Amino acid sequence: MLKYVGKRLIQILILLVIYIAVIFFLLHAMPGGIKAMLTMNPNLTPQAREAILHAFGLDKSLWIQFLTYLKNVFTLNLGISFSFYPTPVWNIIAERLPRTILLFTTATLVSFFIGFSSGKSLAWKRGKASEYVATVIGVITYTVFTPLLIFVFIWFFGAYLGIMPINQFLNPDLWLKTNFTAQTIFLYLLLTISLVGAAMLAAFAVARKVSHKVKTRKIIFYTATAISSAFAVFWWAVSPYGIYGADILWHMVLPVLTVAVVSYAGTMLVMRDSMLETIKEDFITTARAKGLPDKVVRDKHAARTAMLPVITNFVLSMGFVVSGGVITESLFSWPGMGMTLLNATLGKDYPLASGALIFTGIFVLFAHLVVDIIYAFLDPRIRY
Amino acid sequence: MATKEIEGALESPLTIKMKLAWRSFKENWKIFSESKIGVLGLWIVIIFAIAGFIVYPILAATVWKPTLSGMVSYDPVTGYDFTQMLNPAPPSLHHLLGTDPLGRDVLAQLLYSTPREFALGILAALITVFIGTIIGTVSAYYGGAVDTFFMRLADLVLLFPFIPFLIVLSGMIQIDLFRLALIIGLISGFGGITIVLRSQAMIVKVKPFIESAKVSGASNPYLIVNHIIPNVMPLSFLYMMFNVTGAIFSEAVLSFFGLLNIKMSWGLMIYTADTAGYIVGSNIGHYWWLWLPPGAAITLLCGAFYFIGRGLDEVVNPRLRRR
Amino acid sequence: MSAVLEVKDLKMYYSTKQGMVKAADGISFTVNQGESMGLVGESGCGKTSVSMSIMRLLAENAKIVGGQILFKGQDIVKLKEEEMNKIRWAGIAMIFQAAMNSLNPVYRVGDQIIEAILAHEPDVTFEEARERVAELYKLVGLDPKRMDNYPHEYSGGMKQRAVIAMSLACNPDLIIADEPTTALDVIVQDMILKELSKIQKKLNMSMIYISHDIAVIAEVAEKIAIMYSGKIVELSDAVTIFKKPAHPYTVGLMSSFPSIHGEKKKLVTIPGEPPNLLNAPDHCRFAPRCPFATKECWEKTPPYEEIEPNHYVACFHPQNLRKQVSING
């Protein structure tokens, strides 16, 4: 297991270096790239131009430039943002990356859960009218132009029903009199969610160790989850931060819904196909012959095995989901990596734009690694 | 003498080839037409094509001709309507889908952009398929370091945050429709398509007819071009459909953010309305004709090519077929 | 001797786009307590359809359209799915055709056997079930330590043994072994079959062996039924079938297989192909391939009759045809 993770880690690192190289050569070394941008000003004297080139190391050979760039990325030295002068790019990214991670992770879990369970039922009830309807809806949400979907959501929930906040990360009126920043609250939120998640994971592991009966395991797991969530809610309720945390979460609902709706169908369609393949396998017939209830055959045997290709496919669709995330963040004004990237580009803030791009890639690669490790846990053929 | 007569009596090889192609087309068409979703996609594409390539030129030359008084112009880029008091105006008899904030006819913009979307999507997809087919077959045929290199590259391209990259790139160079097609086509040509075509080419590579062609002295490039590529072509064609979807979607997103150097497109129509403040807050329901028609057009055309792809999938991958 | 399983005039049809496929068309046989029966026929003759009907594991387009399957006197055709689930494995267990793929790759082999035990005997604790699996492993000749391995860590023969152990897990009254050893090499095949037969005798279970290979069946089955095109054409005890085969198809089958023990003789192949079960004809289905077919055979289906005590044949010309065949061959 450790050997496998180590191997994947090295592969990911190599991919990361190639990724940085690609970005470097496409954005920096290209004619019209950063070099031209920096020296475009016609009022610059030749000496000043030289000085700028020297300051950025652009007078050195391309190879040396790349190595310097690589070193800078790994030491998080990404330069100074133009638009937030003199804040270093890394500080901005460090502030915004967690927001994207929270949004992306929540949306991913929701969409995976919906896609997985609906794909499972679709394959199990093949040929029914519900299968046809769900497939059509899935294909529509899969191909919908994301901004269109967001407009429809904003119109329906925000304008028509008027129950959802729109176009904001938080409600500014509420935050006027506070002496702490939204970032503090946000980090507390993230910490709470991680702790509850860790508690659930621990409960799951303990339940597996303690009992072999599915029922007992479920009781242990759900009790632990309920207790830790209740504790978290209680803490937020009594603390003065409660309402602010709730405000941020409330503003997160629509963005999460959007990313989930856009990406669930991919999982659903692949799960359906994979499940249909798995059902034909002999071990499913064996499981039925053993006299196991229909549900157990479906969930424990068919779905559990059919899940593996879905996870592989999920890795491949990550780029797609991240792109959807960029659109979602900027349309809902969720100040994460996607919005930063877009605004930096529009504001000609090149260091921030390329820094954000690099870290979007690192984020995708890291997510890839996480999914790979999960996959190894699920497939014993890889584990050993 | 005799052989000549026989040759004359026989059909020429070309006619036989044509006949065979026609027969296999008919068979495949039968399978394809059984897939409802594929046929639906084909119809949507045909309707868009008719609207963009036939209806628009006719309308532009007749109903939408600039009036002599110069009061109304239906030009999608520089058009205006001085008889209109307020812009954007809701749909009316003169403007079936209303006008945009600059007084231009929404329907004219919609139709005008259609052929451009087709051109972009198909050009990008052709480049992708061209590169992908060559790299996929070459990797499969030669194997070794070439294979490893291109497969790792494909892994990377698959994970590449494509839209974010295009956004940042657009800030550095001017991207027009042609350049965009080129960039999308080039990058995705090294992506997932090579993996799929490589595995297909691997299957073809070990078939006996390749062996016999080799024995009869065919050179490697000849083998790849004449024997392997024709056998992976159906799959290439299938992936072309998915790439058209991807290209049109990317263009729409970029022009929606106002990052492309183009005069008019569906994405740009929404951008214009958005920057003028008509899609913010409660305005969104009032000015539906500014975002719904172009948004729906993007969705439909992207969806249509995806549908065709899924329909073709059943032709190319027999395991998906229902017996 | 009490009958564990009585199949009476079983009819199971598949509905396909091209028409009805009569995979089992009037099958009748009885398996007694402790008895082992062999079901032999070419591939595609409906053997597996019979076993799947008994387990009630039918494909969506398959249906039992007539007949009865009495398991200890109870007609399981009419049972509800939940009631049937109680009979599966606890009453009738199965060893599947493709043992290689009968084990779920993502679970430990031992756990998959324990799962079956706990599903039928809720009072048994996990530890007790584990002990039982360990005993079963010893019984089939596997190291109990291997319980915690995954299927991909087993060899083909080990998987086969594990599948046999799994079939024994709930002490079933009847085990259906559908081509239990086809995927293995001949030596292992022979060994496993002999062990299986030994276990069956020791536990006094009933057994149905299904195979295309009459030589394999002959070693383990007391009673043999020959199937052809969805029908049983001959049924008798193993000795009679071998000494006095009455149906031309049985004769052909026996000449198609080399015998390791017997004298050298020329192998005879049955000309023609197995029939298409789709839209089966009204006349004797073997007639097109039968060297002895007369006009009568082309006109009606021969009745399934007892030509001598415990020897059932469906043929208009039932006789010991051995001599004529060897001349023809």
Side-chain angles (χ1 to χ4, degrees):
Chain A
M1 186 69 199
L2 269 178
K3 204 174 144 199
Y4 170 79
V5 173
K7 214 173 117 192
R8 291 302 301 165
L9 201 64
I10 290 166
Q11 279 177 358
I12 294 274
L13 270 179
I14 293 171
L15 273 182
L16 182 61
V17 171
I18 301 175
Y19 173 71
I20 294 170
V22 169
I23 296 294
F24 173 78
F25 284 104
L26 288 179
L27 295 186
H28 294 246
M30 209 174 45
I34 286 218
K35 189 174 176 178
M37 293 293 164
L38 288 174
T39 53
M40 217 165 39
N41 190 342
N43 297 331
L44 282 178
T45 60
Q47 285 86 357
R49 192 176 305 243
E50 279 307 309
I52 289 178
L53 288 181
H54 186 73
F56 285 90
L58 294 171
D59 51 351
K60 305 228 175 66
S61 79
L62 212 56
W63 184 238
I64 301 284
Q65 280 185 45
F66 171 62
L67 286 182
T68 318
Y69 187 74
L70 199 61
K71 195 191 105 208
N72 285 343
V73 171
F74 278 103
T75 52
L76 304 177
N77 176 15
L78 299 164
I80 308 285
S81 161
F82 292 173
S83 46
F84 295 89
Y85 195 82
T87 320
V89 167
W90 167 244
N91 290 17
I92 299 172
I93 290 174
E95 181 192 69
R96 307 205 166 165
L97 195 58
R99 298 175 188 167
T100 294
I101 291 176
L102 180 66
L103 183 69
F104 183 84
T105 315
T106 319
T108 301
L109 290 179
V110 171
S111 87
F112 191 83
F113 179 75
I114 299 174
F116 177 75
S117 33
S118 54
K120 184 176 78 181
S121 315
L122 284 189
W124 206 247
K125 289 183 186 147
R126 192 164 194 201
K128 297 244 170 78
S130 57
E131 187 207 354
Y132 193 73
V133 173
T135 310
V136 169
I137 292 175
V139 169
I140 290 172
T141 58
Y142 190 60
T143 52
V144 74
F145 185 49
T146 318
L148 178 71
L149 181 78
I150 296 174
F151 291 150
V152 171
F153 275 0
I154 291 180
W155 168 76
F156 186 73
F157 292 106
Y160 185 74
L161 293 180
I163 51 167
M164 279 289 172
I166 40 180
N167 292 347
Q168 273 140 7
F169 172 56
L170 40 79
N171 182 4
D173 300 341
L174 187 68
W175 294 72
L176 275 178
K177 293 183 295 256
T178 54
N179 54 355
F180 44 81
T181 60
Q183 188 65 11
T184 323
I185 301 298
F186 187 80
L187 290 178
Y188 274 130
L189 265 181
L190 210 57
L191 185 70
T192 315
I193 293 170
S194 321
L195 286 178
V196 171
M200 283 167 75
L201 213 64
F204 181 74
V206 167
R208 275 186 73 94
K209 273 263 156 59
V210 167
S211 168
H212 296 286
K213 287 236 159 60
V214 179
K215 231 182 200 167
T216 335
R217 279 182 185 179
K218 270 189 180 163
I219 291 171
I220 295 177
F221 178 69
Y222 286 124
T223 326
T225 307
I227 290 174
S228 54
S229 319
F231 189 76
V233 169
F234 178 74
W235 187 84
W236 279 95
V238 294
S239 81
Y241 305 132
I243 185 156
Y244 303 102
D247 189 44
I248 291 180
L249 283 184
W250 184 236
H251 282 81
M252 216 175 95
V253 173
L254 275 188
V256 166
L257 191 68
T258 307
V259 180
V261 165
V262 169
S263 52
Y264 92 96
T267 308
M268 181 180 86
L269 296 173
V270 176
M271 179 65 192
R272 172 177 161 273
D273 289 351
S274 165
M275 188 83 171
L276 286 175
E277 290 276 299
T278 310
I279 287 174
K280 288 184 210 150
E281 296 276 354
D282 294 313
F283 58 81
I284 297 300
T285 319
T286 311
R288 281 181 199 276
K290 281 199 275 191
L292 302 175
D294 199 51
K295 246 192 178 164
V296 175
V297 177
R298 186 190 70 185
D299 295 345
K300 195 177 165 191
H301 286 275
R304 172 69 172 72
T305 317
M307 196 174 172
L308 299 173
V310 179
I311 292 174
T312 314
N313 175 73
F314 179 74
V315 171
L316 301 183
S317 67
M318 215 119 68
F320 174 77
V321 181
V322 167
S323 299
V326 173
I327 302 165
T328 311
E329 280 189 3
S330 38
L331 279 176
F332 284 108
S333 309
W334 180 268
M337 293 296 283
M339 195 178 150
T340 307
L341 189 123
L342 182 67
N343 287 343
T345 305
L346 291 172
K348 308 262 174 218
D349 184 351
Y350 302 108
L352 184 55
S354 69
L357 182 60
I358 294 272
F359 270 87
T360 308
I362 293 178
F363 171 58
V364 172
L365 285 173
F366 185 74
H368 183 13
L369 181 69
V370 170
V371 175
D372 266 348
I373 293 173
I374 293 174
Y375 189 95
F377 266 108
L378 291 173
D379 191 345
R381 286 166 291 189
I382 285 196
R383 216 181 302 163
Y384 295 98
Chain B
M1 235 357 229
T3 45
K4 271 214 172 141
E5 267 168 31
I6 293 169
E7 270 175 17
L10 284 173
E11 288 174 277
S12 74
L14 192 70
T15 357
I16 294 175
K17 258 193 182 166
M18 293 288 282
K19 273 194 176 168
L20 278 176
W22 173 242
R23 190 185 301 160
S24 85
F25 172 77
K26 268 201 300 192
E27 274 167 18
N28 287 332
W29 170 253
K30 215 182 136 216
I31 303 167
F32 178 78
S33 59
E34 272 175 24
S35 135
K36 281 182 199 151
I37 211 162
V39 174
L40 176 69
L42 193 61
W43 272 114
I44 299 175
V45 168
I46 290 173
I47 290 170
F48 267 104
I50 291 174
F53 289 98
I54 301 173
V55 175
Y56 177 71
I58 293 175
L59 281 178
T62 56
V63 192
W64 287 347
K65 243 174 40 193
T67 50
L68 287 175
S69 56
M71 289 295 276
V72 184
S73 163
Y74 281 94
D75 190 281
V77 184
T78 59
Y80 48 84
D81 186 349
F82 287 125
T83 61
Q84 205 79 48
M85 297 306 275
L86 274 171
N87 285 313
S92 64
L93 221 60
H94 288 287
H95 302 284
L96 290 176
L97 284 175
T99 59
D100 81 343
L102 302 175
R104 302 175 292 189
D105 186 82
V106 170
L107 184 62
Q109 293 179 332
L110 208 59
L111 292 181
Y112 170 84
S113 307
T114 310
R116 280 153 190 81
E117 303 288 346
F118 269 95
L120 165 95
I122 291 171
L123 178 61
L126 275 177
I127 298 172
T128 303
V129 165
F130 182 75
I131 297 174
T133 309
I134 290 179
I135 291 184
T137 46
V138 165
S139 299
Y141 192 81
Y142 290 104
V146 181
D147 188 24
T148 317
F149 173 75
F150 281 120
M151 287 308 111
R152 291 292 82 74
L153 190 64
D155 282 349
L156 185 73
V157 174
L158 269 175
L159 288 171
F160 202 68
F162 204 63
I163 298 276
F165 170 74
L166 286 177
I167 290 175
V168 176
L169 190 67
S170 72
M172 305 198 166
I173 57 167
Q174 293 289 321
I175 302 181
D176 55 20
L177 220 50
F178 179 72
R179 276 188 178 175
L180 182 67
L182 220 59
I183 296 167
I184 295 176
L186 275 173
I187 296 182
S188 40
F190 289 94
I193 186 170
T194 56
I195 300 179
V196 179
L197 292 183
R198 171 184 169 271
S199 54
Q200 182 67 22
M202 289 295 258
I203 299 169
V204 178
K205 186 187 158 190
V206 295
K207 292 252 168 86
F209 67 86
I210 298 290
E211 208 52 45
S212 53
K214 249 188 213 167
V215 172
S216 57
S219 67
N220 287 339
Y222 178 89
L223 263 178
I224 292 176
V225 172
N226 286 291
H227 289 287
I228 298 185
I229 288 185
N231 280 291
V232 300
M233 247 358 211
L235 212 58
S236 305
F237 192 59
L238 162 69
Y239 273 81
M240 196 174 139
M241 295 302 144
F242 295 138
N243 279 300
V244 173
T245 302
I248 295 176
F249 188 88
S250 306
E251 187 276 334
V253 170
L254 289 178
S255 57
F256 164 69
F257 286 138
L259 294 167
L260 290 185
N261 179 26
I262 48 170
K263 290 199 190 98
M264 184 47 58
S265 87
W266 293 338
L268 197 64
M269 289 166 72
I270 310 181
Y271 170 75
T272 313
D274 195 25
T275 45
Y278 290 102
I279 317 187
V280 180
S282 55
N283 276 348
I284 201 162
H286 293 296
Y287 296 102
W288 59 269
W289 66 91
L290 292 179
W291 54 270
L292 191 59
I298 297 163
T299 304
L300 276 175
L301 196 59
C302 283
F305 278 106
Y306 177 78
F307 291 172
I308 295 181
R310 270 189 89 87
L312 283 175
D313 211 5
E314 297 196 7
V315 179
V316 178
N317 297 335
R319 71 181 174 83
L320 290 177
R321 258 178 247 161
R322 287 178 191 225
R323 261 159 297 155
Chain C
M1 277 209 292
S2 63
V4 169
L5 184 79
E6 274 180 89
V7 177
K8 289 184 180 166
D9 197 31
L10 174 70
K11 287 184 173 142
M12 196 275 268
Y13 296 172
Y14 291 97
S15 55
T16 64
K17 262 187 188 169
Q18 288 85 25
M20 278 290 183
V21 172
K22 299 180 177 178
D25 198 8
I27 300 286
S28 302
F29 60 83
T30 306
V31 182
N32 291 321
Q33 175 72 42
E35 189 180 38
S36 61
M37 188 183 104
L39 194 58
V40 185
E42 288 163 301
S43 42
C45 74
K47 301 172 307 234
T48 302
S49 298
V50 172
S51 68
M52 286 312 192
S53 301
I54 296 170
M55 292 302 282
R56 285 251 319 261
L57 294 173
L58 298 177
E60 273 169 49
N61 60 339
K63 206 171 181 245
I64 297 177
V65 292
Q68 287 180 309
I69 300 171
L70 301 174
F71 175 71
K72 297 211 254 180
Q74 188 182 21
D75 187 0
I76 60 176
V77 174
K78 295 196 181 79
L79 285 184
K80 281 197 195 111
E81 195 60 25
E82 296 86 57
E83 293 168 324
M84 188 61 212
N85 267 342
K86 284 179 192 150
I87 290 184
R88 289 186 185 131
W89 227 252
I92 311 171
M94 207 165 165
I95 299 168
F96 280 100
Q97 199 161 4
M100 302 295 132
N101 307 321
S102 311
L103 295 166
N104 192 329
V106 302
Y107 293 112
R108 292 190 169 91
V109 179
D111 288 348
Q112 296 188 45
I113 303 177
I114 291 167
E115 181 189 26
I117 299 173
L118 295 183
H120 291 283
E121 295 160 52
D123 301 334
V124 174
T125 65
F126 183 79
E127 281 68 30
E128 286 166 2
R130 247 185 105 79
E131 273 165 37
R132 194 192 296 179
V133 174
E135 279 164 34
L136 288 170
Y137 261 51
K138 279 180 211 151
L139 187 68
V140 296
L142 280 174
D143 182 358
K145 281 182 201 142
R146 299 298 298 255
M147 266 166 74
D148 293 329
N149 286 132
Y150 287 93
H152 70 277
E153 296 166 286
Y154 276 43
S155 70
M158 287 169 72
K159 273 188 214 169
Q160 190 63 58
R161 285 166 197 270
V163 167
I164 292 170
M166 182 151 81
S167 73
L168 298 168
C170 299
N171 292 318
D173 301 281
L174 172 70
I175 293 181
I176 303 174
D178 190 352
E179 306 268 10
T181 55
T182 342
L184 303 173
D185 60 80
V186 184
I187 311 275
V188 184
Q189 221 180 67
D190 200 48
M191 208 159 71
I192 286 185
L193 266 181
K194 279 197 176 126
E195 276 169 32
L196 188 56
S197 175
K198 221 159 61 189
I199 293 168
Q200 179 242 334
K201 297 226 164 67
K202 190 168 144 195
L203 303 176
N204 194 29
M205 279 182 314
S206 308
M207 191 100 188
I208 299 178
Y209 292 95
I210 296 179
S211 178
H212 63 278
D213 188 341
I214 199 166
V216 165
I217 295 292
E219 292 191 37
V220 288
E222 298 157 23
K223 186 157 112 184
I224 294 179
I226 311 285
M227 258 189 97
Y228 187 80
S229 180
K231 284 177 182 293
I232 289 183
V233 292
E234 187 164 4
L235 172 76
S236 189
D237 58 282
V239 180
T240 316
I241 291 278
F242 269 81
K243 290 262 162 67
K244 295 188 286 177
H247 196 283
Y249 179 63
T250 315
V251 179
L253 263 187
M254 251 157 354
S255 329
S256 310
F257 289 101
S259 162
I260 311 172
H261 315 293
E263 74 276 26
K264 274 188 191 170
K265 60 182 179 201
K266 204 173 168 192
L267 288 180
V268 181
T269 52
I270 306 173
E273 275 171 40
N276 188 356
L277 289 172
L278 189 69
N279 305 324
D282 290 334
H283 55 75
C284 174
R285 293 180 187 179
F286 188 60
R289 298 168 77 185
C290 184
F292 314 107
T294 56
K295 201 176 157 226
E296 194 183 11
C297 303
W298 287 96
E299 276 164 0
K300 51 189 176 190
T301 310
Y304 181 59
E305 288 169 335
E306 193 168 13
I307 52 163
E308 54 184 328
N310 284 322
H311 190 177
Y312 299 83
V313 179
C315 182
F316 290 118
H317 312 292
Q319 50 195 302
N320 186 355
L321 301 153
R322 180 174 279 185
K323 237 175 213 162
Q324 284 151 307
V325 167
S326 52
I327 293 164
N328 287 352

